[in-house]
Amino acid sequence: MTAREEQLEAWMIAGLDGDAAAQTALLSALVPMLRGFYRRRIAGAGEDIEDLIQETLIAVHTRRSTYDRDRPVTAWLYAIARHRLIDYVRARKPVVPLEAVLSNLVDDGFEDAATAGADLDRMLAMLPTKQARAIRQTRLEGLSVPEAATASGLGESDVKVSVHRGLKTLAARILGS
Amino acid sequence: MKLTTEDLILALAADLKPVSRYAVLERLGTGVLMGILVTTVLVVTVLGVRPDLPVAVYGIPFWMKWTYTMSLGTAAIFAVSRLARPDSRSLMMLWMLSVPMLALAGCAAHELANTPLDHWRTLWMGNSWTSCPRVVLGLSVPIFLGLLWSFRRFAPNRLRAAGALSGLASGAWAATVYGLHCPEPSALFVLTWYSLGILLAAALGAVLGPYVLRW
């Protein structure tokens, strides 16, 4: 066991026993560790990384009873960090088979092609405004669903449903034409 | 204004309560007991306790049922306590769930061997086979909700497995409480219809797990 691991474990256990100073030391020591962990896995997005760090600290703190004192503390900490990361990735890029059609078009440089932007605009124009805007926000501008919901003043499920319906319509048209 | 990370850490650590070594099991126990309490009230007020309960508690069938459902419920809760932690460990201990099932299957075989063939159907179907599984499923709902409350402080990584085992535990404890109402005495009946109700609860838990256990 490394010295750092030993130190983290000592803080963790003292924190579990109610020592606030140890808990503060633990959470503070986690900040640079988590920053390194998330930076290596997510390109750019400095703001997002700070949000992820805060969310992870909250999870580590409120769910600390799930740490088993007989097991390595870093494995537990990184398991939580990894879970938050997966949740973050999923929230930003929902994977739904039906939507693969359009997202492939976007991912494969379709958007970059000279005429693509115009084509995309024309296709989105065929949809009701709400659906077009939801797709534009979440798929082209890279907003998360909660962000898109706030930006357009809709509920999150409303945004999701709009994206889903819109993509379904588009997919049907592309495959049908 | 946005909370700085330093402020967040101070705010979190400020309100620090000691956490017991057995906090996960304690919280699971509390959640299950709250659910069992609601389910018991439902059984007593809506279904009614079987009229012969004071006599039945001296009989073997009553305890056979309770031993079966309680041992399933206990094993499932221990499995859930493992899935509550993010660094998942092996679920090899799930073989323990087969022990009560095999034991009850032995009882059922013994029962069949001692019953004339034309009574087998009664032994199997009893009087309530149509309602038993869905009543067990329905009674498991409050216990499942109790477990969801427990999970608010947990960090599960395998949400579907955690949902399935939570459903199984809810079903098994619901079946235990249902034993206060249900007068069916045969092991074959319990093995089939109680288990079906418990499995339905586990299946529902597996479906819901990824949605309701997200954190």
Side-chain angles (χ1 to χ4, degrees), chain B residues 102-195:
Chain B
L102 289 174
L104 191 67
C107 293
H110 177 76
E111 235 172 40
L112 285 172
N114 290 297
T115 308
L117 205 58
D118 49 340
H119 284 85
W120 279 19
R121 202 187 145 75
T122 324
L123 210 56
W124 186 33
M125 307 291 201
N127 292 311
S128 58
W129 71 276
T130 46
S131 61
C132 170
R134 57 193 156 91
V135 173
V136 168
L137 178 64
L139 291 175
S140 73
V141 171
I143 304 175
F144 191 74
L145 293 177
L147 284 174
L148 285 188
W149 171 84
S150 307
F151 264 96
R152 284 178 19 197
R153 285 272 180 276
F154 294 164
N157 242 351
R158 296 152 77 177
L159 302 189
R160 199 170 291 283
L165 265 305
S166 300
L168 190 81
S170 318
W173 287 108
T176 306
V177 181
Y178 182 61
L180 294 173
H181 162 80
C182 160
E184 301 284 356
S186 111
L188 187 61
F189 182 92
V190 174
L191 183 66
T192 315
W193 308 114
Y194 274 52
S195 308

Side-chain angles (χ1 to χ4, degrees), chain A residues 7-8 11 19-30, chain B residues 9 13:
Chain A
Q7 177 63 72
L8 289 174
W11 280 333
D19 179 345
Q23 186 71 5
T24 311
L26 172 77
L27 295 177
S28 308
L30 284 182
Chain B
I9 291 174

Side-chain angles (χ1 to χ4, degrees), chain A residues 15-20 24 27 51 54 57 61-71 76 83-84 87, chain B residues 2-5 12-13 16-19 21 23-24 84-87 89 152-157 214-215:
Chain A
L16 285 172
D17 290 335
D19 179 345
T24 311
L27 295 177
D51 285 351
Q54 293 199 354
L57 292 177
H61 183 82
T62 56
R63 297 169 200 269
R64 64 190 190 281
S65 67
T66 62
Y67 169 61
D68 180 340
R69 297 173 192 224
D70 302 325
R71 288 163 60 86
W76 177 80
H83 184 90
R84 294 260 44 105
D87 199 61
Chain B
K2 218 175 144 130
L3 193 65
T4 70
T5 304
L12 288 176
L16 197 71
K17 293 185 188 63
V19 175
R21 182 176 274 274
V24 168
R85 303 177 192 273
D87 40 348
R89 279 176 289 182
R152 284 178 19 197
R153 285 272 180 276
F154 294 164
N157 242 351
R214 275 189 70 180
W215 55 281

Side-chain angles (χ1 to χ4, degrees), chain A residues 41-166:
Chain A
R41 286 164 180 82
I42 313 169
E47 181 97 338
D48 284 1
I49 287 177
E50 294 310 306
D51 285 351
L52 265 173
I53 292 173
Q54 293 199 354
E55 280 174 25
T56 310
L57 292 177
I58 293 172
V60 162
H61 183 82
T62 56
R63 297 169 200 269
R64 64 190 190 281
S65 67
T66 62
Y67 169 61
D68 180 340
R69 297 173 192 224
D70 302 325
R71 288 163 60 86
V73 71
T74 42
W76 177 80
L77 290 168
Y78 280 123
I80 290 188
R82 209 173 300 121
H83 184 90
R84 294 260 44 105
L85 177 69
I86 292 169
D87 199 61
Y88 166 86
V89 172
R90 271 200 199 130
R92 289 180 60 97
K93 229 185 186 177
V95 183
V96 178
L98 188 76
E99 303 175 357
V101 182
L102 189 65
S103 61
N104 276 344
L105 292 179
V106 177
D107 291 345
D108 295 340
F110 184 81
E111 202 184 5
D112 297 333
T115 57
D119 285 346
L120 216 51
D121 284 338
R122 216 172 31 172
M123 285 198 295
L124 287 175
M126 297 191 291
L127 298 174
T129 338
K130 193 168 94 175
Q131 294 179 2
R133 188 176 50 186
I135 291 177
R136 204 176 282 285
Q137 285 172 331
T138 60
R139 294 311 154 95
L140 304 178
E141 293 163 13
L143 296 186
S144 69
V145 171
E147 286 165 353
T150 319
S152 50
L154 299 171
E156 286 186 26
S157 52
D158 206 353
V159 171
K160 282 188 208 165
V161 171
S162 299
V163 171
H164 184 75
R165 293 216 176 117

